[in-house]
Amino acid sequence: GENVEQHPSTLSVQEGDSAVIKCTYSDSASNYFPWYKQELGKRPQLIIDIRSNVGEKKDQRIAVTLNKTAKHFSLHITETQPEDSAVYFCAASPGGSNTGNQFYFGTGTSLTVIP
Amino acid sequence: KAGVTQTPRYLIKTRGQQVTLSCSPISGHRSVSWYQQTPGQGLQFLFEYFSETQRNKGNFPGRFSGRQFSNSRSEMNVSTLELGDSALYLCASSVEGNTEAFFGQGTRLTVV
């Protein structure tokens, strides 16, 4: 089955700096890669996603890049703010739309933005 | 539009008992998937239901089961509870596979 590895497990940055979280996956059939943010005691919430036919996607201060050949994808947060502090999870989903939602998650990155 | 609703929010059960958790998806969503979240193992996929059929299953023992009703609401059941089953159980709903999944608040299960 799919195996997703995520690094680093913890990350501290100064407010205004950039943060980068990296994930690798093992199943070349995976074609949908969402990123979730989970604040303490709250549900995971999707912040950005990318499909395998796209190399990069950006939404304001957040961007995701995907390298299918190397099987890795990264989350980039620019101009970090204290409210960005949370645990971030990457995930990979194998198969097409008829195979269902079956996300394999990384182990999470605890991001702390220091004011 | 109401979000994904999970009940109950908290449960305390004794080892050996069984438990049923409920998940009501967003209206119009037909896919419901379940995940177990623990500090040590992170988020692990349990199973996914679509139109009352289990479409995918993760690597969990047969004590973990689920079902989906015609209104897309889903339940998961854990029989013969073990201490290691203590976790946050999250469900997520989506319109279709490989699309954005919306998570519920989760059910915190404690087995004593």
Side-chain angles (χ1 to χ4, degrees):
Chain A
E2 175 64 277
N3 181 46
V4 178
E5 295 190 358
Q6 182 172 347
H7 299 280
S9 56
T10 60
L11 179 60
S12 291
V13 299
Q14 290 291 137
E15 181 177 358
D17 287 350
S18 295
V20 180
I21 302 170
K22 298 182 178 182
C23 289
T24 61
Y25 62 100
S26 61
D27 189 348
S28 57
S30 289
N31 58 11
Y32 176 62
F33 306 92
W35 285 87
Y36 283 86
K37 173 184 180 182
Q38 187 176 29
E39 297 176 26
L40 191 63
K42 295 190 176 180
R43 71 187 78 192
Q45 291 196 300
L46 180 76
I47 56 171
I48 196 166
D49 56 10
I50 192 167
R51 297 191 180 275
S52 57
N53 58 348
V54 175
E56 184 174 1
K57 184 177 178 180
K58 190 173 181 180
D59 182 5
Q60 299 182 340
R61 297 186 296 108
I62 295 173
V64 57
T65 58
L66 171 65
N67 184 323
K68 280 182 59 180
T69 303
K71 296 203 198 91
H72 66 70
F73 55 115
S74 300
L75 178 71
H76 304 252
I77 306 174
T78 58
E79 301 172 19
T80 54
Q81 301 167 3
E83 51 265 38
D84 293 331
S85 296
V87 179
Y88 291 80
F89 293 95
C90 63
S93 180
S97 61
N98 291 328
T99 61
N101 269 341
Q102 186 177 356
F103 296 156
Y104 291 89
F105 284 88
T107 49
T109 296
S110 179
L111 172 65
T112 301
V113 179
I114 304 165
Chain B
K1 199 174 190 181
V4 180
T5 304
Q6 290 188 245
T7 56
R9 291 290 311 279
Y10 302 92
L11 266 177
I12 299 176
K13 289 287 187 178
T14 304
R15 194 171 49 180
Q17 288 185 313
Q18 74 165 16
V19 67
T20 299
L21 314 181
S22 179
C23 173
S24 293
I26 292 172
S27 177
H29 287 194
R30 295 190 296 169
S31 169
V32 175
S33 50
W34 289 87
Y35 296 84
Q36 181 194 65
Q37 186 173 26
T38 59
Q41 299 294 322
L43 280 150
Q44 291 190 292
F45 173 74
L46 281 154
F47 29 66
E48 186 238 4
Y49 286 86
F50 183 85
S51 292
E52 302 180 63
T53 301
Q54 185 181 89
R55 193 157 58 171
N56 291 293
K57 190 177 190 306
N59 191 26
F60 277 80
R63 299 185 298 106
F64 292 82
S65 63
R67 59 178 175 169
Q68 187 180 34
F69 302 93
S70 58
N71 61 357
S72 293
R73 188 178 72 86
S74 178
E75 290 181 345
M76 69 163 280
N77 184 278
V78 188
S79 62
T80 320
L81 284 165
E82 301 176 0
L83 296 178
D85 296 333
S86 294
L88 179 66
Y89 289 88
L90 292 159
C91 77
S93 78
S94 61
V95 173
E96 192 28 286
N98 258 16
T99 59
E100 181 178 0
F102 296 84
F103 281 87
Q105 289 274 36
T107 294
R108 172 75 62 185
L109 172 65
T110 302
V111 182
V112 297

